[in-house]
């Protein structure tokens, strides 16, 4: 239980720290008008999201390496996704994914109805606009894990009502 709280606090501080650093570095546009500064804010938010995603990617690679060292080879892509939804997700977030869907053409949707990294926020739509920055690390986590299992993918997240979220995994055919 204590390790879960530490992970939640660490994640929250990673997000806050990156965005805080971006805001402080934004002092360059202090003399500019608001319309000229808006693209800079969006660009910095994109950089922060990319940084969080790349941090998650590296962590995902390391975790999958550790978790799969004693497991048998996976038969196919679907087995790998089931492993991510059951074992990997349980180890990281202390619960399984609530729903896994696929179109059998390389697109998987992982749904978590009570995502741990969003449960600290309000359950309403009040903080809905801030949710993506708290999901970037997890998108990287999934992408990094899949990468280490030999699957190149694009992972996106979507939140329609908190704390539920959906991660869409698009497998890139090589």
């Amino acid at each position: 239980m204590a390790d879960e709280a530490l992970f939640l606090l660490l994640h929250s501080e990673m997000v806050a720290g990156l965005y805080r650093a971006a805001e402080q570095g934004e002092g360059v546009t202090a003399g500019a008008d608001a319309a000229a500064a808006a693209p800079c804010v969006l660009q910095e938010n994109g950089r922060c999201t990319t940084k969080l995603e790349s941090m998650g990617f590296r962590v995902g690679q390391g975790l999958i390496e550790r978790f799969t060292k004693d497991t048998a080879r996976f038969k196919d892509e679907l087995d790998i996704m089931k492993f991510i939804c059951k074992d990997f997700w349980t180890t990281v977030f202390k619960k399984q994914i609530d729903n896994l869907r696929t179109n059998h053409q390389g697109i998987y949707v992982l749904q978590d109805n009570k995502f741990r990294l969003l449960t600290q926020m309000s359950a309403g739509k009040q903080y809905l606009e801030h949710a993506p920055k708290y999901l970037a690390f997890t998108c990287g986590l999934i992408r990094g894990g899949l990468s280490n299992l030999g699957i190149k993918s694009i992972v996106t997240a979507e939140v329609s009502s908190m704390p539920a979220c959906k991660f869409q995994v698009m497998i890139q055919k090589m």
Side-chain angles (χ1 to χ4, degrees):
M1 188 68 172
D3 58 338
E4 182 181 350
L6 290 174
F7 174 69
L8 293 174
L9 288 171
L10 175 65
H11 179 266
S12 180
E13 278 304 308
M14 281 186 335
V15 172
L18 277 172
Y19 279 85
R20 191 177 321 112
E23 286 175 11
Q24 290 172 352
E26 204 176 271
V28 178
T29 62
D33 62 312
C40 290
V41 172
L42 292 175
Q43 187 176 15
E44 285 303 315
N45 285 347
R47 286 185 185 147
C48 291
T49 302
T50 301
K51 179 72 173 168
L52 284 166
E53 202 267 345
S54 64
M55 291 167 72
F57 182 84
R58 180 61 196 110
V59 171
Q61 283 182 319
L63 288 175
I64 280 292
E65 198 170 299
R66 177 179 283 175
F67 298 159
T68 59
K69 69 179 179 185
D70 296 327
T71 60
R73 280 216 168 283
F74 298 105
K75 290 186 296 187
D76 58 5
E77 194 173 273
L78 186 58
D79 271 353
I80 291 173
M81 292 307 295
K82 286 178 182 176
F83 176 82
I84 294 290
C85 292
K86 291 179 182 176
D87 302 326
F88 184 71
W89 210 261
T90 301
T91 305
V92 176
F93 297 109
K94 308 297 185 230
K95 68 183 280 295
Q96 290 184 6
I97 282 285
D98 295 312
N99 197 352
L100 169 65
R101 293 186 180 166
T102 181
N103 66 356
H104 298 289
Q105 296 174 356
I107 296 180
Y108 297 87
V109 177
L110 290 66
Q111 184 172 344
D112 192 334
N113 295 327
K114 197 170 180 189
F115 187 56
R116 296 246 192 258
L117 299 179
L118 294 179
T119 53
Q120 304 302 319
M121 294 185 189
S122 172
K125 295 193 181 282
Q126 181 181 5
Y127 296 108
L128 204 54
E129 66 191 41
H130 297 289
K133 62 185 174 186
Y134 290 92
L135 299 173
F137 181 82
T138 308
C139 287
L141 203 66
I142 296 167
R143 197 171 67 83
L146 291 172
S147 171
N148 235 19
L149 293 172
I151 295 178
K152 186 177 177 186
S153 62
I154 296 173
V155 181
T156 56
E158 161 189 330
V159 178
S160 53
S161 66
M162 304 244 276
C165 66
K166 293 179 182 177
F167 295 95
Q168 183 175 19
V169 179
M170 293 184 292
I171 306 298
Q172 304 293 296
K173 301 296 179 192
M174 293 184 205

